[in-house]
Amino acid sequence: VSYGFWEHGANGAGRGICVGSRASHTAVCSPCLQMNDTPKMRLTPSVEDYLKAIYALTERGEAASTSALAEALDVQPASITGMIKRLADFGYVEHTRYRGVHLTEKGSKAALRVIRRHRILETYLQTHLGFTWDDVHSEAERLEHAASETLIERMATILRHPSHDPHGAPIPTSAGEIE
């Protein structure tokens, strides 16, 4: 028996823990049946890191290979394969065997939300808390998974909605657009 975390939208019953596979989950969970059998994967820090890494590797239009992802995330290639399958099952990526992986629109939106949080945090840490240019990245890496959207939006407002982080990278807008 495996345990899955499922999150339901406005038509669903909130957050919950269901026992079993995706198939058994949707067979017994009425909110999922009402939503046309499309449960959403909970975006854990690990999932967010995968999405962010895939985004970075595919920015130029090329697919991300499992070996490139393994190197970027410092994990074993076998771990990559399992996560890619789960991400594909939930509609975050499209995977073509021996060709690599691309983010779907849903995956790109999720990746850009994480990237926005990271870059706003970096900017705030440097501008308002005196972190050095060299230290902001590692600190933002730790904080990006815990910061709420409300906190990030308040930081962005205080920062007057910056377009670039301290390293010069563009910051996605709250609407998920990037220069």
Side-chain angles (χ1 to χ4, degrees):
V1 174
S2 62
Y3 294 89
F5 295 88
W6 306 94
E7 213 172 282
H8 303 287
N11 296 334
R15 294 180 180 179
I17 300 174
C18 295
V19 178
S21 67
R22 179 177 189 264
S24 67
H25 166 79
T26 55
V28 298
C29 184
S30 61
C32 284
L33 292 174
Q34 293 169 9
M35 294 174 4
N36 197 24
D37 190 28
T38 54
K40 295 191 308 185
M41 181 181 228
R42 182 172 161 249
L43 295 182
T44 63
S46 178
V47 169
E48 290 180 340
D49 287 343
Y50 271 81
L51 294 173
K52 193 169 69 166
I54 294 166
Y55 184 88
L57 290 168
T58 60
E59 269 186 300
R60 294 180 208 98
E62 299 172 16
S65 68
T66 54
S67 59
L69 276 171
E71 185 177 330
L73 295 167
D74 195 27
V75 297
Q76 295 298 314
S79 299
I80 299 290
T81 305
M83 180 62 87
I84 293 302
K85 182 177 179 345
R86 287 192 297 278
L87 291 171
D89 286 347
F90 287 93
Y92 288 102
V93 300
E94 291 177 351
H95 179 245
T96 305
R97 196 173 174 133
Y98 305 115
R99 299 222 190 253
V101 64
H102 284 280
L103 292 170
T104 62
E105 183 178 340
K106 177 181 176 180
S108 289
K109 286 181 180 182
L112 287 170
R113 277 193 306 272
V114 177
I115 292 166
R116 175 176 172 74
R117 281 197 315 260
H118 180 90
R119 293 180 181 168
I120 292 289
L121 283 162
E122 284 184 330
T123 306
Y124 189 87
L125 290 167
Q126 184 185 38
T127 306
H128 290 280
L129 299 180
F131 279 77
T132 66
W133 187 87
D134 295 330
D135 293 334
V136 293
H137 179 74
S138 59
E139 196 65 32
E141 278 292 319
R142 287 188 287 277
L143 294 171
E144 71 189 16
H145 305 296
S148 70
E149 295 302 319
T150 302
L151 175 63
I152 295 303
E153 290 313 309
R154 288 184 182 179
M155 287 177 164
T157 299
I158 289 169
L159 294 165
R160 295 190 174 105
H161 302 283
S163 61
H164 291 78
D165 72 7
H167 306 289
I171 298 174
T173 66
S174 57
E177 298 169 0
I178 195 164
E179 292 180 5

